[in-house]
Amino acid sequence: MSRLLVIGCGGVAQVAIQKCAQNSKVFTEMCLASRTVSKCDALKDKLEKQGTSVKITTATVNADDVADVVKLIKDYKPDAVLNVALPYQDLTIMDACLECKVDYIDTANYEPEDTDEPTWRAAYEKRCKEKGFTAYFDYSYQWAYMDKFKEAGITGLLGTGFDPGVTSVFVAYAKKHYFDEIESVDILDCNGGDHGYAFATNFNPEINLREVSANGSYWVNGHWVETKPMEIKRVYDFPEVGQKDMYLLHHEEIEALGRNFPEIKKIRFFMTFGQSYLDHMRCLEDVGMLSTSPINFEGKEIVPIQFLKALLPDPASLGPRTVGKTNIGCIFKGTKDGKEKTLYIYNVCDHQECYKELGSQAISYTTGVPAMIGTSLVLEGKWKKPGVYTTDEFDPDPYMEMLNEYGLPWVVDENPVLVD
Ligand code: NDP
């Protein structure tokens, strides 16, 4: 029996909410709150028409404003808040949860909307020099809440999507059941889906394009090695998808895994991209359309990447037209009982199956299901621990069981092809 406040009602949120409704033993009441409340109302109607037993209400909230979130939390009195809005809102929602002493869950690492803001920029430039990677996001802002969350007796579960989220649980699971020591992890994210557009992003365009146009980096012997965007390319034959080009990216779970598993000498993250996507992205970048700095256009200030977002298809609308499968997982190298060992744990997800079940494509699905699972485990008390943690810091077994139960079954291959 629990009351959940969900903030955000985009592609990922719509899957997470529908999955919460399938797990109605844990989620008995939900408030769906977002900037555009009509999306929440439409989803509430859909679930009620399907006969859900979950008591659903909706609300408008501006999650950039701590006071607005605090007011909503005080009115609704939830047991936990699931943040499936944007990474820009992580800190405001965490502040509100702290003030109201309510558990907090999200799927993505904090990053600021305005990367030119002078105080943030100064701290960012210092961090780039000290840590050696230049991504706009890092865990320091959210890890800084550790003591405050401990004192308040509340849990902050960070990054319970697929990557980060499930990929970090795969690491904890491999360590618990298959290895004495893990030496290297390659996280491979393959989207073999085709939506038929020349260019579209599978989740929020602004967040997605910021991530993939940035420098790459990987973790080796306790420090970062940074690369130019798309500098390192490999080809991999993905089970159930086939051969794809993949490129090394910086990705947030590397930072948490590097800290929490110091024995792991090398951690890399690769994502597949088709040539059309890369060509479009390069052109858009070359003409300044990926910029986050406002420009003046005919007397009005606009942010180029936000204007681009308005032109691109809404990721939540890609469901009916996307065919093909995703394959996301981790390849491990290490030792067990003094012998060398390799292992691949992955999930394959079919875009059209997701659409048939929930009306969404597989990227939203593979993120929304783990968002529900992490939230459920916090609410059930299995992953409740005052402080702020990533998903690799808890017992992986109940999470792995729920992946099988809620639509993301995984495969263990003890003889995988490695990435060179
Ligand atoms: P969308 O853009 O589809 O949805 C974002 C939602 O948040 C929208 O409903 C939007 O409202 C709402 N929102 C935005 N700003 C505010 C605000 N200030 N106050 C209240 N609501 C707001 O994004 P996605 O669903 O694609 O992504 C959601 C999250 O999931 C992101 O943080 C993304 O980074 C993360 N993600 C994580 C992955 C993982 O594997 N870990 C993979 C993919 C995504 P409106 O409708 O008004 O715009």
Side-chain angles (χ1 to χ4, degrees):
M1 294 270 289
S2 59
R3 282 160 82 82
L4 177 69
L5 170 61
V6 184
I7 300 185
C9 200
V12 172
Q14 299 203 15
V15 172
I17 292 161
Q18 293 183 80
K19 282 289 172 179
C20 288
Q22 287 180 11
N23 184 7
S24 58
K25 273 196 209 119
V26 172
F27 301 96
T28 43
E29 296 180 34
M30 273 194 281
C31 175
L32 318 183
S34 192
R35 187 167 54 186
T36 311
V37 75
S38 55
K39 290 186 189 169
C40 306
D41 291 333
L43 186 54
K44 174 181 186 283
D45 279 358
K46 177 179 172 185
L47 287 165
E48 286 177 350
K49 281 196 185 113
Q50 289 169 355
T52 182
S53 62
V54 183
K55 198 171 154 206
I56 301 174
T57 54
T58 64
T60 305
V61 72
N62 174 10
D64 290 320
D65 180 3
V66 180
D68 207 32
V69 183
V70 166
K71 184 175 175 306
L72 179 59
I73 296 177
K74 286 191 172 159
D75 285 350
Y76 187 66
K77 299 185 180 56
D79 300 301
V81 176
L82 170 60
N83 166 16
V84 264
L86 297 178
Y88 309 149
Q89 284 87 42
D90 286 4
L91 303 187
T92 43
I93 300 176
M94 287 178 87
D95 283 334
C97 285
L98 195 56
E99 190 172 330
C100 302
K101 296 194 170 35
V102 176
D103 294 332
Y104 168 87
I105 298 105
D106 71 28
T107 64
N109 204 189
Y110 171 70
E111 65 183 274
E113 185 159 14
D114 178 6
T115 54
D116 294 326
E117 196 279 313
T119 312
W120 180 85
R121 192 86 208 173
Y124 163 76
E125 277 164 12
K126 185 165 173 277
R127 187 268 280 163
C128 290
K129 279 199 199 107
E130 284 171 4
K131 292 206 175 165
F133 69 95
T134 54
Y136 286 144
F137 49 86
D138 73 76
Y139 272 112
S140 63
Y141 293 89
Q142 291 182 278
W143 281 339
Y145 284 73
M146 178 60 107
D147 290 344
K148 291 184 269 186
F149 268 50
K150 273 188 183 163
E151 275 161 34
I154 56 172
T155 303
L157 178 62
L158 308 182
T160 179
F162 206 105
D163 42 338
V166 176
T167 49
S168 307
V169 173
F170 284 171
V171 177
Y173 188 79
K175 173 72 186 167
K176 181 173 174 182
H177 296 286
Y178 289 94
F179 288 93
D180 294 327
E181 194 161 290
I182 300 176
E183 278 162 22
S184 72
V185 184
D186 280 329
I187 303 163
L188 310 190
D189 178 334
C190 164
N191 180 7
D194 181 7
H195 44 55
Y197 288 117
F199 186 71
T201 64
N202 296 297
F203 68 97
N204 183 283
E206 207 178 320
I207 306 298
N208 181 248
L209 290 166
R210 270 190 186 197
E211 178 179 281
V212 302
S213 60
N215 285 336
S217 70
Y218 58 99
W219 183 252
V220 65
N221 295 324
H223 64 88
W224 294 96
V225 176
E226 193 156 74
T227 69
K228 292 195 191 72
M230 310 294 163
E231 185 183 329
I232 298 185
K233 176 185 168 184
R234 297 284 186 271
V235 178
Y236 196 79
D237 196 1
F238 289 91
E240 293 190 51
V241 176
Q243 197 162 293
K244 294 277 171 198
D245 294 345
M246 61 182 191
Y247 298 84
L248 185 137
L249 295 187
H250 175 85
H251 222 247
E252 65 197 66
E253 62 266 59
I254 304 178
E255 190 187 4
L257 293 170
R259 182 190 80 157
N260 298 335
F261 295 82
E263 71 188 54
I264 306 179
K265 295 187 186 76
K266 188 159 91 174
I267 312 172
R268 300 184 297 184
F269 181 98
F270 291 90
M271 191 178 272
T272 62
F273 296 103
Q275 200 52 47
S276 172
Y277 182 96
L278 294 178
D279 291 343
H280 279 79
M281 194 178 73
R282 211 192 60 242
C283 293
L284 290 166
E285 190 170 26
D286 286 348
V287 297
M289 283 299 287
L290 303 190
S291 169
T292 54
S293 302
I295 57 152
N296 198 291
F297 179 70
E298 296 186 343
K300 194 175 182 322
E301 206 169 71
I302 61 164
V303 176
I305 198 166
Q306 287 176 0
F307 177 69
L308 174 64
K309 181 185 176 214
L311 296 174
L312 291 175
D314 179 354
S317 72
L318 298 177
R321 43 187 302 146
T322 308
V323 294
K325 292 177 182 177
T326 62
N327 178 326
I328 318 176
C330 301
I331 298 179
F332 303 92
K333 251 169 85 176
T335 50
K336 178 76 178 171
D337 301 327
K339 286 192 198 125
E340 290 201 346
K341 182 170 178 60
T342 59
L343 190 81
Y344 188 13
I345 310 181
Y346 61 87
N347 159 263
V348 174
C349 191
D350 185 299
H351 284 283
Q352 278 302 303
E353 293 298 320
C354 299
Y355 184 67
K356 273 186 228 141
E357 185 194 327
L358 299 183
S360 106
Q361 34 87 350
I363 305 301
S364 303
Y365 191 96
T366 53
T367 310
V369 171
M372 179 282 284
I373 293 174
T375 309
S376 179
L377 292 175
V378 171
L379 286 169
E380 289 173 88
K382 292 180 184 165
W383 276 25
K384 191 159 171 58
K385 183 162 78 165
V388 171
Y389 305 96
T390 43
T391 57
D392 51 283
E393 296 181 86
F394 293 93
D395 178 7
D397 292 354
Y399 199 107
M400 294 292 275
E401 278 164 28
M402 286 182 79
L403 287 171
N404 284 332
E405 192 182 343
Y406 284 96
L408 295 177
W410 37 274
V411 175
V412 174
D413 174 356
E414 297 206 47
N415 189 22
V417 175
L418 303 180
V419 181
D420 64 17

